[in-house]
Amino acid sequence: MTTTASAIKFAYWVPNVSGGLVVSNIEQRTDWSYDYNVRLAQAAERSGFEYALTQIRFTAGYGAENQHESVSFSHALLAKTEKLKVIAAILPGPWKPVLAAKQLATIDYLTQGRIAINVVSGWFRGEFDAIGEPWPEHDQRYVRSEEFIRTLKGIWTTDNYSFDGKYYQFQNYTLKPKPLQKPYIEVFQGGSSRAARDMAARVSDWYFTNGNSVEEIKKQVDDVRSKAKLANRQVKIGVNAFIIARDTEEEAKAVLNDIIAQANVEAVNAFGDATREAGAAAPEREGNWAKSTFDDLVQYNDGFKTNLIGTPQQIAERIVALKNVGVDLVLSGFLHFIEEVEYFGEKVLPLVRQLEQQQEHHLAAKSA
Ligand SMILES: Cc1cc2nc3c(=O)[nH]c(=O)nc-3n(C[C@H](O)[C@H](O)[C@H](O)COP(=O)(O)O)c2cc1C
């Protein structure tokens, strides 16, 4: 398979919490065990996935009854893979930057530079209350996350590092060894609100957002990129999608209908209530889940909205349409992870690469 220089990248959600990626009673041949996850990670790297994203949750809720911790789980997956980069979710509050910086620098050495992080800002107030963490209001959570990212990058690159922020302070701190990856470990972040986009433009390497239509994603890409340009920075974009690829469109749509028909109604409604503390709570009501319907919420991060549901050809075309509005990476979830990751690698990815190549040839011919 030939890949073009600007080939779109693929990540998958690590099912390190129970219940899969949909809040539904439908049968899911996905498992949160370590053994299943190792087989999945190995299948994913064989199938062309470059990244895996772990989740952080401290308490049960909405189907995720059991949750393995993200940093240790990421390390364990890296130990059993060769190429895959694993993105460990980190939540400022429970994590302090000093510990995260040290932990991740060590993992970077142990895994030949394959760890990355996703700084999440918190959406689940019940969780913060349960673990005795204060719950700053929405935009303050981003003030804290921004300081978190600034201090991580500072510690990873600078000797005698000092910082005097609202949430974190450092005085002449020198971390040794610094991470293997230069200039530092890649920093992703999740969220769609104005505060999230502004933070991405200022400090993050990657902006991860919930699923949405191409038009809505384009608005976010343009906003983040134009703000980043003002700061003389470049930010890459990752979009969530729940992928249902089947030989026929009817089969794929039937699976989606079944997932929604068998939704765990009580859990979806409770999840909807909790998300109002997150995206919908952002002052401009532009955050994740601000406009989500019941059906959207059956997938935790609005992954049905991206509409990568259909035949391999339809999905490949829609992925290239996302790329054409500036998306660099598709973050994917599946119902039956291992088997569907393999089907994706065999049937969908080659079509994406073909379409990308055709498009590049076409552009080259036009500019010649
Ligand atoms: C791709 C992605 C992954 C996320 N992973 C987690 C996670 O593992 N744990 C968590 O508590 N929140 C997670 N979040 C939630 C975000 O950090 C954030 O709280 C939420 O998206 C609401 O942000 P907003 O109001 O800025 O849109 C994730 C969000 C996205 C988009």
Side-chain angles (χ1 to χ4, degrees):
M1 197 171 11
T2 325
T3 53
T4 56
S6 63
I8 192 162
K9 297 175 189 295
F10 294 92
Y12 73 91
W13 285 91
V14 175
N16 60 311
V17 311
S18 60
L21 268 293
V22 286
V23 194
S24 173
N25 298 320
I26 195 169
E27 187 217 357
Q28 299 189 57
R29 292 188 291 280
T30 290
D31 197 288
W32 56 284
S33 67
Y34 179 51
D35 175 59
Y36 181 91
N37 268 290
V38 169
R39 285 187 288 120
L40 170 58
Q42 292 170 345
E45 71 176 2
R46 271 197 311 270
S47 302
F49 286 76
E50 283 180 52
Y51 290 94
L53 171 71
T54 56
Q55 309 166 54
I56 182 62
R57 291 229 199 159
F58 286 90
T59 59
Y62 327 123
E65 205 53 34
N66 296 284
Q67 325 91 35
H68 286 307
E69 186 275 319
S70 50
V71 176
S72 44
F73 209 80
S74 298
H75 183 203
L77 292 181
L78 286 163
K80 298 282 186 182
T81 48
E82 287 169 4
K83 297 183 290 191
L84 196 67
K85 284 191 93 172
V86 183
I87 312 163
I90 295 216
L91 191 53
W95 266 280
K96 303 285 176 275
V98 63
L99 178 59
K102 189 115 186 122
Q103 221 176 1
L104 292 156
T106 298
I107 296 176
D108 208 36
Y109 272 84
L110 300 175
T111 62
Q112 299 78 46
R114 290 188 292 126
I115 189 80
I117 68 161
N118 184 30
V119 174
V120 298
S121 295
W123 59 273
F124 189 5
R125 181 173 188 156
E127 177 179 75
F128 274 62
D129 290 345
I131 62 174
E133 278 289 334
W135 179 249
E137 53 89 15
H138 182 273
D139 285 10
Q140 275 303 310
R141 299 202 291 279
Y142 280 96
V143 172
R144 177 165 71 181
S145 293
E146 181 165 339
E147 286 192 6
F148 194 95
I149 295 172
R150 282 188 193 282
T151 52
L152 277 187
K153 289 189 171 178
I155 296 168
W156 283 336
T157 54
T158 318
D159 281 345
N160 302 313
Y161 177 70
S162 295
F163 183 82
D164 189 17
K166 177 168 180 192
Y167 291 95
Y168 308 114
Q169 292 80 35
F170 286 86
Q171 274 179 36
N172 292 320
Y173 177 55
T174 299
L175 172 81
K176 281 194 179 172
K178 305 251 184 311
L180 213 49
Q181 294 179 75
K182 298 295 173 210
Y184 38 68
I185 292 167
E186 276 187 302
V187 177
F188 292 69
Q189 64 150 88
S192 309
S193 57
R194 199 247 320 120
R197 282 178 270 125
D198 289 358
M199 178 173 92
R202 286 194 291 262
V203 290
S204 303
D205 303 316
W206 284 88
Y207 170 79
F208 257 151
T209 188
N210 272 10
N212 219 323
S213 64
V214 175
E215 297 70 39
E216 291 300 316
I217 294 294
K218 181 177 187 310
K219 286 185 201 163
Q220 294 181 38
V221 174
D222 292 348
D223 185 51
V224 172
R225 292 250 160 90
S226 61
K227 286 171 177 159
K229 204 170 164 195
L230 292 177
N232 227 347
R233 298 188 68 250
Q234 287 189 336
V235 180
K236 284 174 270 187
I237 312 282
V239 173
N240 180 50
F242 192 82
I243 299 182
I244 309 176
R246 297 293 184 274
D247 293 346
T248 66
E249 188 179 8
E250 292 68 39
E251 275 175 272
K253 286 195 164 155
V255 173
L256 173 66
N257 290 339
D258 277 354
I259 294 173
I260 293 173
Q262 295 184 55
N264 178 343
V265 175
E266 205 181 315
V268 173
N269 284 330
F271 173 55
D273 288 343
T275 63
R276 282 178 253 296
E277 289 285 351
E284 310 73 21
R285 296 187 57 78
E286 288 177 1
N288 278 353
W289 307 293
K291 298 179 184 119
S292 307
T293 63
F294 178 91
D295 288 5
D296 296 331
L297 289 169
V298 176
Q299 204 291 306
Y300 287 106
N301 288 82
D302 280 357
F304 302 144
K305 276 190 181 172
T306 316
N307 194 23
L308 300 189
I309 296 166
T311 63
Q313 183 68 30
Q314 289 173 318
I315 293 175
E317 285 168 9
R318 291 173 195 157
I319 289 172
V320 173
L322 286 168
K323 175 180 169 170
N324 289 344
V325 298
V327 171
D328 300 284
L329 174 146
V330 173
L331 169 62
S332 54
F334 299 91
L335 189 62
H336 308 302
F337 262 90
I338 294 183
E339 53 212 85
E340 296 196 39
V341 152
E342 285 173 341
Y343 181 93
F344 184 86
E346 257 170 56
K347 300 276 169 83
V348 184
L349 201 53
L351 294 177
V352 174
R353 297 306 179 219
Q354 227 175 47
L355 289 173
E356 285 181 315
Q357 259 196 317
Q358 282 168 8
Q359 197 165 280
E360 275 204 8
H361 286 152
H362 185 70
L363 285 176
K366 248 172 99 175
S367 63

